[in-house]
């Protein structure tokens, strides 16, 4: 476990992996290198207190992102569904994942 929670989660690493009974959200962050890292850090900070696991894939291919309907840098998707566009607030990220957790239950 990392001492600092606000970090860019390495691709493939699972946040809260030790909690195997918690739901796992496999998300993709699309965008430029700088914006992907910013959103990843903000995402980890925003969901660290929630009873969920998180795994991030970083999509670096702009053409593939555009084909998937991504128009803003950065964009967060889950199963092809756009969850968040742009560098949104931590509060908005938290609310989005709280809503996803409600959907899961």
């Amino acid at each position: 476990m990392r001492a600092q929670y606000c970090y860019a989660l390495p691709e493939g690493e699972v946040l809260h992996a030790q909690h195997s009974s918690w739901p796992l959200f496999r998300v993709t962050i699309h965008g430029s290198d700088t914006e992907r890292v910013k959103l990843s850090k903000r995402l980890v900070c925003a969901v660290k207190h929630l009873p969920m696991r998180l795994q991030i894939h970083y999509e670096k291919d702009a053409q593939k992102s555009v084909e998937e309907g991504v128009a803003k840098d950065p964009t967060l998707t889950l199963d092809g569904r756009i969850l968040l566009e742009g560098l949104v607030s931590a509060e908005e990220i938290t609310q989005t994942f709280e809503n996803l957790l409600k959907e899961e239950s």
Side-chain angles (χ1 to χ4, degrees), residues 1 12 21 33 40 48-49 51 54 73 75 79 88-89 100 105:
M1 186 160 120
S21 64
D33 290 341
S40 179
K48 68 183 178 191
H49 67 285
L54 178 73
D73 182 15
T75 294
D79 298 328
V88 298
S89 70
L100 287 171
S105 52

Side-chain angles (χ1 to χ4, degrees), residues 58 60 70 75 85 94:
Y58 296 101
K60 301 169 187 172
V70 171
T75 294
E85 292 182 297
T94 300

Side-chain angles (χ1 to χ4, degrees), residues 28-104:
T28 300
I29 298 177
H30 303 259
S32 65
D33 290 341
T34 302
E35 296 304 307
R36 281 193 321 266
V37 169
K38 286 179 187 176
L39 183 56
S40 179
K41 286 180 180 179
R42 195 167 289 178
L43 176 58
V44 169
C45 284
V47 302
K48 68 183 178 191
H49 67 285
L50 297 176
M52 57 169 274
R53 296 174 294 149
L54 178 73
Q55 186 176 43
I56 300 174
H57 167 71
Y58 296 101
E59 184 54 66
K60 301 169 187 172
D61 184 335
Q63 182 61 38
K64 186 173 180 184
S65 293
V66 168
E67 289 170 2
E68 292 180 23
V70 171
K72 290 192 177 181
D73 182 15
T75 294
L76 181 72
T77 62
L78 172 68
D79 298 328
R81 176 176 137 199
I82 293 175
L83 294 180
L84 300 165
E85 292 182 297
L87 195 58
V88 298
S89 70
E91 292 81 12
E92 187 173 344
I93 295 169
T94 300
Q95 185 64 54
T96 297
F97 280 90
E98 286 174 344
N99 291 339
L100 287 171
L101 284 168
K102 287 177 190 172
E103 290 174 16
E104 288 283 314

